[in-house]
Amino acid sequence: MRLKKFIISSLSAIMIATSLSGCGMISKEKEKEEPVSDLVNVTLLTDAEGGAGEALISSARAGLEEAESGLGIDGRFIKCSSKDDIKSNIEVLVKGGKTALIIGAGPRFESIISVYAQKYPNQDFALIDATVDGDMPKNLTTITFDDERSGFIAGFIAGKMTAKNKVGYISGTSGSSENAYRQGFEKGLKKANDKNPEIISRNVNIYESYEDAKNAFVDVEYYGADILFAPTEDDSKAAIDSINSNYSKIIAVNKDQYHYSKDKVVASITKSYSKAVYDLCAMVYDGGDSFKGGKNTQYGVAEKAIALAPSTENTVPPDVLSSLSKALKEEYSGSN
């Protein structure tokens, strides 16, 4: 166990080193209040549909609450149940004229926020975990994550631990995150295993049909994949609930899912929105002078936005973790 803990610590250090170069309000009381006029108001929009992204929603809310206490902003937290709900909330906020920044947290906000940023050029917007292709409006800033590196870690572990030389990749909503996960997964798999493992892929939409998503995971398992990477918006829960632990294991995302299912989860790669939300609040707190309009910023290990969960030491052999550390240094040394 000491050796495993040492390797996990060393791996974290290497990851950090190579990464450098309806709706509900915060409280019922605030539901009835008008935004406080002498404080900078920031509104955070998140998903409420299907229980998707619970870990990320919690981390986003934590960042907003930290900004409230640390910066003294007036924060609003709204869970949106549908695309129409997102649109109507944005219209109300913009027309109210008291919100300095509207943040959409999650990939599903990408298409909507980008349209409204163009529609209302005098209102500042932000996207978390999504960005805009092409020219970005100056009143929009985005924060994405080093999902390729997370995918690489998952692919490497899958490549080393597959016994059937068949692995599963089940993607969620299409977009910049999904593309990066896939690219990294394929790189990591190739780096770890020179036997050219077969990738059995499916695409699911947790928002539209949770049951269909669960059937897709069972399908991938049926066709022989024994290690499945599931970067889906529900924190990989549908995958975990669907598979048979006698046949396959899951590499989960967003939160440490080892304690949710110790017999099914072989590794978890966590992600947090907390610092992203706090930093966005700080951008408008000083009057907007530091607002990075028209630009995307990527967060990774150095910002504590992604990490390999400590519970991995319970399931992944020390030699695999050691070789993963070496592979990360070779693949990402000197990258931003």
Side-chain angles (χ1 to χ4, degrees), residues 197-332:
E198 179 183 355
I199 302 176
I200 303 170
S201 302
R202 296 290 185 274
N203 181 267
V204 301
N205 192 323
I206 297 295
Y207 300 115
E208 291 183 358
S209 177
Y210 199 78
E211 288 304 314
D212 284 351
K214 291 175 70 174
N215 290 336
F217 300 123
V218 173
D219 191 46
V220 170
E221 183 180 56
Y222 174 80
Y223 282 101
D226 57 353
I227 304 291
L228 283 66
F229 180 43
T232 53
E233 292 81 7
D234 65 333
D235 312 328
S236 307
K237 280 188 176 180
I240 297 168
D241 292 341
S242 303
I243 67 164
N244 186 322
S245 61
N246 292 322
Y247 301 111
S248 56
K249 306 293 182 183
I250 293 290
I251 300 174
V253 295
N254 299 343
K255 68 181 294 184
D256 188 348
Q257 295 286 28
Y258 173 70
H259 295 288
Y260 180 70
S261 183
K262 294 181 179 180
D263 61 334
K264 295 182 180 181
V265 177
V266 70
S268 297
I269 303 164
T270 62
K271 179 188 283 189
S272 174
Y273 286 175
S274 179
K275 180 172 172 55
V277 171
Y278 183 92
D279 288 351
L280 288 169
C281 292
M283 286 183 194
V284 295
Y285 175 71
D286 62 359
D289 293 340
S290 61
F291 185 75
K292 298 179 180 179
K295 296 180 180 179
N296 176 66
T297 305
Q298 186 180 83
Y299 281 21
V301 180
E303 293 81 14
K304 298 182 179 179
I306 63 169
L308 185 61
S311 65
T312 306
E313 68 180 28
N314 299 314
T315 50
V316 177
D319 63 315
V320 174
L321 293 175
S322 180
S323 57
L324 173 58
S325 297
K326 181 180 178 181
L328 282 167
K329 288 180 69 175
E330 292 173 352
E331 189 70 26
Y332 294 102

Side-chain angles (χ1 to χ4, degrees), residues 44-47 52-53 56-57 60 86 103-113 126-131 142-145 173-177 207 233 254 271 273 276-277 280:
L44 172 66
L45 306 178
T46 69
D47 270 309
L56 297 179
I57 290 171
I86 296 170
I103 304 172
R108 197 159 68 125
F109 289 88
E110 179 178 344
S111 59
I112 299 173
I113 291 287
L127 278 169
I128 298 176
D129 216 1
T131 190
T142 64
I143 294 177
T144 55
F145 297 85
T173 304
S174 62
S176 55
S177 289
Y207 300 115
E233 292 81 7
N254 299 343
K271 179 188 283 189
Y273 286 175
V277 171
L280 288 169

Side-chain angles (χ1 to χ4, degrees), residues 25-36 39 41 68 74-76 98:
M25 310 299 277
I26 287 180
S27 65
K28 289 185 178 180
E29 290 76 12
K30 282 198 172 185
E31 253 179 12
K32 301 175 183 178
E33 295 175 1
E34 290 296 322
V36 181
L39 296 178
N41 179 264
E68 283 188 295
D74 178 41
R76 288 293 184 277
K98 296 181 180 180

